[in-house]
Amino acid sequence: MSQKPVCVAQISDLHIKRPGALAYGRVDTAKALERCIAALNEFAPAPDLVVISGDLADTPTPEEYDHLRRLLAPLKLPFASIPGNHDSREMMRTAFPASKYAQSSGALNQRIELAGLDLMLLDSSVHGKPHGLLEPPTLEWLDAKLASAPERPALLFLHHPPFKAGIWHMDRQDLFNADALWEIVRRHSRVRLVATGHIHRATLTMFAGVPTTICPAPNHAVDLDLAQLREPSFKMEPPAFHLHVWFPGEGFGNLVTHHVPIGQFDGPHPFFGPDGKLL
Ligand SMILES: [Fe+2]
């Protein structure tokens, strides 16, 4: 039986401000999101869903979410979002009233079925704090949902990485109860990926035996300062998003994550000439 692959695009850390305002006085995050949306709209095959993994707004204010909604309007793909440390749960509930959250108040967790794949979107935000925490009801919900369909592969999304990336000022604001998530992931072999954001850099590690990623941002990147040489800083590195492609197959199938740079690049150029020979 051959089933179609499922494509989940992940974008992260949009940091949308009020119209005309620049992040840190320098970064036009609205323009960056426009370029990202153009890239998503052009991508073939069209992703089945876009997951926005937190820090949608910057301050946050209702005006920023209004601006975000206007910027997202040209996106031709369905999307779902979870809060980051720069977001407000209440403002997000108001901004996206059609979202089907698992709880009617508190954490904005969601479970989304895409063909044979389950996505678990986990709210790791802590009001007014930069670090992350999965609240007990979120952990209980995740554990129960994962137990309810053990044969279906599942991808977990949350804003805060549950591991140290080596960037000191970000590591002190990671997921504070990563051990609780570790226990749950270890219990459920159907978890095939833990996908996060927060650090604005493409990063890969293993967590509880599962590939675990950080999605880059469409705007600025946190400076890769592993030697603590500088004050917390950012760089305008090439923007990108992640594309998680699940190929159905034996067992849990196969999951591949692509790093997709955003921008106009020379090519594509053919490898072979009209005579079929390698150029
Ligand atoms: Fe963040």
Side-chain angles (χ1 to χ4, degrees):
M1 182 176 71
S2 86
Q3 280 175 275
K4 206 170 133 288
V6 175
C7 290
V8 180
Q10 181 188 2
I11 65 175
S12 201
D13 298 83
L14 313 181
H15 289 270
I16 296 304
K17 299 187 73 75
R18 65 182 161 74
L22 302 178
Y24 316 108
R26 188 179 291 269
V27 186
D28 191 339
T29 52
K31 271 273 168 294
L33 179 56
E34 284 174 356
R35 287 191 287 265
C36 178
I37 288 173
L40 290 166
N41 284 340
E42 281 168 17
F43 197 87
D48 297 280
L49 183 75
V50 179
V51 174
I52 312 175
S53 52
D55 287 358
L56 284 70
D58 192 58
T59 309
T61 64
E63 190 185 12
E64 289 177 351
Y65 287 102
D66 284 346
H67 189 201
L68 170 68
R69 280 161 45 111
R70 289 198 298 278
L71 290 165
L72 286 172
L75 179 62
K76 295 175 188 161
L77 309 168
F79 68 90
S81 57
I82 39 175
N85 49 299
H86 285 257
D87 289 307
S88 152
R89 288 175 175 173
E90 289 64 39
M91 289 180 207
M92 279 183 63
R93 278 187 193 275
T94 304
F96 305 114
S99 299
K100 293 187 173 61
Y101 301 117
Q103 287 87 26
S104 56
S105 64
L108 306 186
N109 303 311
Q110 289 181 74
R111 174 175 165 273
I112 297 172
E113 276 183 36
L114 285 178
L117 191 65
D118 281 347
L119 309 186
M120 308 291 193
L121 276 54
L122 307 170
D123 180 350
S124 60
S125 67
V126 181
H127 182 69
K129 302 283 186 199
H131 70 270
L133 196 83
L134 294 170
E135 295 166 357
T138 295
L139 293 166
E140 284 159 26
W141 173 81
L142 175 64
D143 200 25
K145 284 292 170 206
L146 288 172
S148 68
E151 75 293 347
R152 291 171 61 85
L155 315 185
L156 310 190
F157 291 85
L158 70 160
H159 181 68
H160 294 85
F163 62 90
K164 307 281 183 218
I167 302 173
W168 63 276
H169 60 98
M170 299 306 292
D171 286 348
R172 68 187 180 193
Q173 49 174 280
D174 62 359
L175 185 73
F176 276 15
N177 59 345
D179 51 343
L181 180 62
W182 175 286
E183 289 298 325
I184 292 175
V185 173
R186 290 294 290 185
R187 266 203 296 281
H188 300 280
S189 59
R190 76 177 180 115
V191 177
R192 312 311 291 165
L193 176 75
V194 179
T196 73
H198 193 43
I199 302 192
H200 298 228
R201 305 197 61 83
T203 306
L204 170 68
T205 190
M206 296 289 280
F207 173 79
V210 173
T212 297
T213 55
I214 299 173
C215 180
N219 38 58
H220 52 288
V222 172
D223 180 23
L224 187 59
D225 179 15
L226 300 177
Q228 298 195 27
L229 297 175
R230 295 173 285 279
E231 289 300 306
S233 307
F234 62 89
K235 274 188 178 177
M236 300 312 295
E237 295 182 9
F241 63 89
H242 273 174
L243 190 71
H244 308 293
V245 186
W246 176 64
F247 299 92
E250 219 163 283
F252 291 115
N254 191 32
L255 184 80
V256 176
T257 294
H258 294 276
H259 176 88
V260 188
I262 298 167
Q264 298 300 319
F265 306 102
D266 188 25
H269 302 291
F271 283 116
F272 299 95
D275 57 358
K277 290 199 174 131
L278 197 59
L279 292 167

